[in-house]
Amino acid sequence: MYPTKYHKPASIADAVAALNGGDEAMLLSGGQTLLATMKQHLAAPSDLVDIRGIAGLSGISANGNELTIGATTTHAEVAGNVDVRRLCPALADLASGIGDTAVRNMGTIGGSIANNDPAADYPAGLLALNATIVTNTREISADDFFEGLFATALDEGEIITAVRVPAPSKAAYAKFAQPASLFALVGVFVADSGSGVRVAVTGAGEDGVFRHAGLEAALTGSMGDASIDAVDISDGNLISDIHGASDYRAHLISVMAKRAVLSL
Amino acid sequence: MTSINMNVNGKAVSGDVPDETLLSEFLREHLRLTGTHIGCDTSQCGACVVHIDGKAVKSCSTLAVSLEGAEVTTIEGLANGDLHPMQVAFNDNHGLQCGFCTPGMIMSGVDMVKRYKAEGKDLTSDAIRAELEGNICRCTGYHNIVKSIEDAAAKM
Ligand SMILES: Cc1cc2nc3c(=O)[nH]c(=O)nc-3n(C[C@H](O)[C@H](O)[C@H](O)COP(=O)(O)OP(=O)(O)OC[C@H]3O[C@@H](n4cnc5c(N)ncnc54)[C@H](O)[C@@H]3O)c2cc1C
Ligand code: FES
Ligand code: FES
C-alpha cells in the first residue's frame, strides 16, 4: 500500500473538510473493498477519511413502515436486526449472504452501494425495494442512484449518511453465488410493494444492476413462477466472462427469479 | 505516523505506526505476535482472523490506526494457562495438518460457537460449514475441522 494519511472526524462537517483538505482523499467505511483495492495499487488515496467515528451514521430505526439504515451499519447488523427481520426479512437475508462472517462484521451498507460493484447484493435489494439514498446534501432515489459499473450519482466528496427502505408487502432475494468470490454470479430481488412488483438483477448486467421490465410486468400481472416462463430474458447487454456466458446468465436470471418468487 | 493504543490479549499496548499499517502487520511486526498468519493478504483465506471487540475480523483488511481503544484477541490470547477447549478439540480431532490455516480456523470457530450460543441457535455441522465460508484450508479437506468445532462447541 502507498502511504496515506488517516483521519477520523467526529462530524460530517469535519469529514467534508478532511475530504477537501487532501489532494486525493477518499472516504473509508468498513474497508472491505477499499483496503484490498489500495493493496493492489488500484487506489492510492492521499488521505483516508474514516466515517465510523461520526455519531448517528450507524444503526437502524423503524418509523411506521419505513426502515432507516445508517451508512456505517454493518452487514452483520442488518442481518441480525429485529426491525429489518420484521419489516423486510428479505433484506436481512440478503445481508446474511454477503461474503463471509468476518466481512459482514466490518463491511457496511454505505460502502457497498457507494462502490456499486456490478455483482454486489445490496444494489439489487435497494433498487427493487425502491429505496432512497440519503446523503449529506440531498436524497436520491435508487432508480437514479445506481448509474453503471462502479458508477453512482454521488458527486465528488458527497457522503451517504443513510438509506431509507419502505417495507414491501412481500419480497425475496435469490442469489447464485460465484463460489470463489462469494459475490453474485446472478442475483434477483423481487419486491411486491402492494401496488406493483419491482424486479432487480445483479451480477449479470454489463452496466451493473438493472430492473427487468419483462419480469416486472409479468409478475405484476400474476405473481407466480409460471408467469416467469412466458418472459423472454434476452442475453443482450449481459456479462460474458470466465464464470459464465451471457446466455447462461440469462437462464440463471429466470431460475433465480423463480426461486425468489417461490420463496415469497 | 500515528500513535495508537489498544488492548491486545488483555494487555495495554501502544505504538507509533505509519497510517497504512494493517492490523496484521501491527500484530506480527510490531508486537511480534506471529500466531496470526497471512495466507493471502487479499481478504480471502481467513488465516489472519482475530477478534476485535468480540467479533471475528480479518486483520489483513483492517487498519491498525482505526482501532484506537479496541480490544483485540489473537490466537496467543486464547489459552488461559490451559489450552482453550477449541485448541484441545483441534488437537484431539486431528483438525490440522500443516497448521497454517489453524489460528484463523480456531478464532472463527470460537466466534461461531459463542455467537450461536448467545442467540440460542443450534450449531449443526451444516451451519459450521457455512460459517467457515471465509476460512480456507489447503490440507485437511475440512472434515476434521468441522468435527473439531462440533466437539469444542459441546465443551465450551
Ligand atoms: C471476501 C469478500 C467477499 C465479499 N462478498 C461479497 C458479496 O457476496 N456480496 C457483496 O455485495 N459484497 C461482497 N463483498 C464486498 C463487501 O460487501 C464490502 O463490505 C463492500 O463492498 C464495501 O463496503 P465497506 O464498508 O467495506 O466500504 P469501503 O471498502 O470502506 O469503501 C468502499 C468505497 O465506498 C466509498 N464509501 C464508503 N462509505 C461511503 C459513504 N458513506 N458515502 C460515500 N462513499 C462511501 C469509499 O470511499 C470506497 O470508494 C465481499 C468482500 C470480501 C472481502
Ligand atoms: S491473510 Fe487475511 S484473509 Fe488471507
Ligand atoms: S492445515 Fe494446512 S492449510 Fe489448513
Side-chain angles (χ1 to χ4, degrees):
Chain A
M1 251 196 279
Y2 291 119
T4 189
K5 181 154 178 36
Y6 176 82
H7 307 259
K8 197 164 190 182
S11 70
I12 293 280
D14 289 351
V16 171
L19 277 177
N20 292 335
D23 286 345
E24 275 184 61
M26 283 181 85
L27 294 170
L28 175 71
S29 190
Q32 300 302 289
T33 294
L34 182 53
L35 294 176
T37 319
M38 288 170 67
K39 288 182 192 179
Q40 293 169 299
H41 293 183
L42 295 172
S46 58
D47 296 68
L48 281 177
V49 182
D50 186 343
I51 53 175
R52 289 170 294 182
I54 302 175
L57 282 198
S58 168
I60 298 166
S61 61
N63 186 355
N65 263 343
E66 190 175 72
L67 288 164
T68 301
I69 305 174
T72 62
T73 310
T74 63
H75 308 328
E77 286 162 349
V78 172
N81 181 267
V82 283
D83 288 321
V84 183
R85 286 259 160 234
R86 178 170 59 86
L87 290 174
C88 191
L91 192 64
D93 292 344
L94 174 151
S96 71
I98 296 176
D100 56 58
T101 303
V103 168
R104 291 193 290 274
N105 279 338
M106 288 298 270
T108 68
I109 190 168
S112 173
I113 62 173
N115 194 48
N116 195 16
D117 188 299
D121 297 302
Y122 270 130
L126 298 193
L127 188 57
L129 290 163
N130 200 10
T132 302
I133 289 82
V134 184
T135 75
N136 58 328
T137 56
R138 58 186 167 142
E139 299 194 347
I140 312 169
S141 72
D143 280 318
D144 293 333
F145 182 84
F146 298 107
E147 289 190 337
L149 290 189
F150 299 101
T152 68
L154 290 173
D155 290 330
E156 188 118 345
E158 190 171 359
I159 304 173
I160 300 167
T161 55
V163 168
R164 284 209 314 265
V165 183
S169 68
K170 293 188 273 194
Y173 181 56
K175 166 178 175 176
F176 191 92
Q178 202 280 316
S181 75
L182 309 175
F183 276 86
L185 189 58
V186 168
V188 177
F189 200 107
V190 176
D192 183 349
S193 66
S195 55
V197 179
R198 288 167 65 109
V199 179
V201 180
T202 189
E206 279 192 322
D207 301 319
V209 68
F210 65 95
R211 285 172 63 189
H212 199 286
L215 287 171
E216 291 188 354
L219 293 171
T220 300
S222 166
M223 182 60 88
D225 59 315
S227 311
I228 293 169
D229 284 325
V231 180
D232 173 42
I233 314 261
S234 150
D235 64 3
N237 241 4
L238 297 190
I239 299 170
S240 265
D241 60 16
I242 60 166
H243 306 301
S246 55
D247 57 345
Y248 178 65
R249 280 189 162 85
H251 178 68
L252 270 184
I253 291 175
S254 176
V255 175
M256 290 302 111
K258 281 186 199 169
R259 285 192 191 166
V261 165
L262 288 171
S263 69
L264 279 173
Chain B
M1 291 287 248
T2 296
S3 139
I4 47 169
N5 302 285
M6 57 178 101
N7 186 304
V8 177
N9 299 331
K11 280 196 226 106
V13 299
S14 56
D16 280 323
V17 296
D19 289 7
E20 60 279 7
T21 306
L22 300 165
L23 175 61
S24 50
E25 293 169 331
F26 181 65
L27 292 171
R28 292 177 54 85
E29 286 158 32
H30 293 255
L31 303 181
R32 295 285 167 198
L33 293 172
T34 52
T36 297
H37 289 172
I38 311 299
C40 65
D41 210 21
T42 58
S43 30
Q44 308 294 322
C45 75
C48 67
V49 168
V50 301
H51 298 175
I52 299 176
D53 296 329
K55 290 187 180 134
V57 164
K58 292 173 179 171
S59 61
C60 76
S61 306
T62 313
L63 289 182
V65 291
S66 70
L67 296 172
E68 178 66 31
E71 302 247 341
V72 177
T73 307
T74 71
I75 187 74
E76 290 91 344
L78 277 191
N80 178 13
D82 296 324
L83 288 181
H84 185 280
M86 189 64 72
Q87 293 171 308
V88 175
F90 269 71
N91 195 4
D92 291 350
N93 294 281
H94 201 139
L96 59 143
Q97 288 179 25
C98 80
F100 198 86
C101 68
T102 314
M105 290 289 177
I106 289 183
M107 297 313 283
S108 290
V110 170
D111 170 77
M112 73 179 83
V113 172
K114 283 192 178 157
R115 200 157 21 88
Y116 273 64
K117 289 219 154 121
E119 290 168 13
K121 288 196 302 196
D122 194 16
L123 187 61
T124 60
S125 70
D126 281 350
I128 295 172
R129 284 172 195 278
E131 286 286 339
L132 286 178
E133 192 86 75
N135 290 82
I136 293 175
C137 175
R138 304 307 300 264
C139 304
T140 62
Y142 300 97
H143 290 299
N144 288 352
I145 292 176
V146 176
K147 269 198 225 160
S148 305
I149 297 175
E150 275 184 304
D151 182 14
K155 294 170 185 161
M156 272 171 70

